[in-house]
């Protein structure tokens, strides 16, 4: 059996590449038995875990009202923008589903902004957990659940490899990474954050504040890329799929088909590694050296319930 577990990393709208990866995996006969997601990976992963096909997921995202996708709603916490459109899409597609209602074992990561704890969310309401894992600090509202204030899991765990192993200890982990490797960062320039929001960019694009913010975000991107590389070295997923996604800003409009294609191409390039990871030799090796004994970093607080 070609059974695998997926660890889907964060990356904003680059997450459409996850759909292309999943499409190729299913086409080539690989059976996804568990999904762990961080940030964008949690958003796209939740729909796959529910049972939506790649074509269904594409349709759901194209149905989001582009005028309302980043609007705030009454009661939203401190943030520049909201995620009203995304929340409505999740409400329509997932409803009030709990984790135990999903077709596949699924979990997402989040961080408690008050305690610094790294949380594995896999109990209770799926939609609330997904809204927490995509709550990019400062830009999207934090999520208050059960006395905790939760933000984007990518702060501590850009690609949740160890969480995928916890969901399926006997299976190879396929990590889908949406950031470039550190050695590819020379000359890498992300677009200005507000390029795709004319009403905002007309004002802040000319200000010293906007320039300072983009320098800050650039530094955060670099730190996140380095953290990703360190975790990949420590946690050693059996397969790494790294779509060559373009330099896309957080709010940029995108061609979903084009980004899906990049995910497909990356998955196709990894087919040899994938076949090796599910071979009988690899299965025997995992029985002798169980994945659960590999170093896990950072640790999770794992008893949290998304009520």
């Amino acid at each position: 059996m070609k059974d695998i577990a997926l660890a889907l990393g964060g990356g904003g709208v680059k997450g459409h590449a996850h759909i292309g990866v999943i499409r190729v995996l299913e086409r080539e006969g690989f059976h996804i038995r568990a999904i762990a997601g961080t940030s964008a990976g949690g958003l796209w992963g939740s729909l796959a875990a529910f049972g939506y096909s790649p074509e269904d997921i594409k349709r759901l995202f194209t149905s989001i009202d582009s005028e309302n996708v980043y609007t705030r709603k009454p009661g939203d916490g401190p943030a520049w923008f909201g995620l009203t459109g995304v929340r409505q899409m999740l409400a329509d597609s997932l409803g009030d589903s709990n984790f135990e209602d999903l077709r596949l074992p699924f979990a997402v990561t989040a961080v408690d902004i008050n305690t610094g704890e790294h949380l594995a969310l896999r109990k209770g309401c799926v939609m609330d957990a997904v809204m927490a894992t995509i709550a990019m600090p400062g830009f999207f509202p934090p999520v208050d659940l059960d006395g905790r204030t939760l933000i984007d899991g990518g702060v501590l765990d850009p690609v949740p490899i160890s969480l995928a192993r916890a969901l399926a200890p006997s299976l190879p982990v396929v990590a889908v990474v949406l950031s470039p490797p550190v050695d590819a960062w020379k000359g890498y320039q992300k677009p200005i954050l507000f390029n795709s929001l004319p009403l905002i960019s007309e004002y802040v694009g000319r200000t010293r504040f906007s320039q300072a913010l983009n320098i800050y975000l650039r530094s955060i991107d670099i730190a996140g890329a380095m953290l990703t590389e360190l975790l990949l070295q420590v946690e050693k997923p059996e397969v790494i799929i790294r779509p060559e996604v373009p330099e896309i800003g957080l709010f940029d409009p995108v061609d979903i088909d084009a980004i899906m294609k990049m995910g497909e191409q990356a998955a196709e390039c990894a087919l040899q590694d994938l076949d090796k990871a599910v071979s009988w030799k690899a299965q025997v090796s995992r029985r002798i050296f169980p994945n659960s004994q590999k170093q896990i970093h950072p640790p999770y607080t794992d008893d949290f319930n998304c009520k």
Side-chain angles (χ1 to χ4, degrees), residues 13-296:
V13 292
K14 297 177 184 181
H16 292 299
H18 290 316
I19 312 176
V21 170
I22 292 172
R23 176 185 281 171
V24 169
L25 292 175
E26 293 180 345
R27 184 191 73 200
E28 297 297 326
F30 291 91
H31 305 288
I32 301 168
R33 300 304 188 191
I35 301 176
T38 288
S39 196
L43 176 57
W44 274 264
S46 68
L47 299 170
F50 186 86
Y52 287 106
S53 70
E55 288 67 31
D56 291 334
I57 297 173
K58 174 190 170 183
R59 175 181 53 79
L60 289 170
F61 278 97
T62 55
S63 71
I64 296 177
D65 182 355
S66 59
E67 293 186 1
N68 294 321
V69 62
Y70 298 125
T71 58
R72 293 170 55 84
K73 64 179 181 62
D76 275 349
W80 274 46
F81 309 105
L83 285 168
T84 299
V86 174
R87 174 174 280 276
Q88 185 59 55
M89 183 271 286
L90 289 173
D92 293 340
S93 57
L94 300 179
D96 57 358
S97 299
N98 288 328
F99 281 86
E100 56 266 28
D101 300 323
L102 300 179
R103 183 177 63 88
L104 297 174
F106 175 66
V108 300
T109 65
V111 175
D112 186 323
I113 192 63
N114 295 315
T115 67
E117 287 178 274
H118 185 209
L119 305 177
L121 309 184
R122 48 179 167 176
K123 301 175 184 177
C125 178
V126 179
M127 183 174 72
D128 288 343
V130 172
M131 293 303 297
T133 197
I134 64 175
M136 183 179 178
F139 291 92
F140 302 133
V143 174
D144 293 321
L145 289 175
D146 198 24
R148 293 182 181 268
T149 301
L150 306 183
I151 60 170
D152 194 323
V155 170
L156 287 177
D157 197 359
V159 186
I161 300 161
S162 61
L163 185 54
R165 284 209 172 100
L167 293 175
S170 64
L171 298 183
V173 172
V174 177
V176 184
V177 183
L178 301 181
S179 62
V182 172
D183 59 8
W185 273 73
K186 185 177 181 180
Y188 175 80
Q189 295 291 331
K190 297 196 72 173
I192 293 176
L193 176 69
F194 304 109
N195 276 352
S196 61
L197 297 177
L199 293 178
I200 296 176
S201 61
E202 182 178 352
Y203 171 69
V204 302
R206 299 191 301 267
T207 67
R208 187 177 302 171
F209 171 77
S210 175
Q211 296 168 11
L213 180 59
N214 278 284
I215 291 172
Y216 170 73
L217 289 174
R218 169 73 171 164
S219 68
I220 294 299
D221 282 337
I222 294 171
M226 181 60 72
L227 176 58
T228 298
E229 295 308 302
L230 292 174
L231 290 176
L232 289 173
Q233 291 181 29
V234 169
E235 298 179 344
K236 296 179 174 60
E238 281 72 13
V239 180
I240 298 174
I241 297 177
R242 204 162 209 158
E244 294 187 10
V245 287
E247 299 175 9
I248 300 172
L250 179 63
F251 298 105
D252 282 357
V254 295
D255 182 337
I256 295 178
D257 285 316
I259 298 181
M260 287 176 61
K261 184 64 176 177
M262 294 168 190
E264 291 177 16
Q265 292 171 342
E268 288 166 352
C269 290
L271 286 176
Q272 186 174 353
D273 291 338
L274 286 161
D275 285 331
K276 182 178 178 181
V278 297
S279 68
W280 69 267
K281 290 183 179 179
Q283 293 181 41
V284 171
S285 177
R286 281 192 297 275
R287 289 181 180 275
I288 299 173
F289 305 103
N291 284 331
S292 59
Q293 295 181 8
K294 292 187 177 181
Q295 184 177 358
I296 295 177

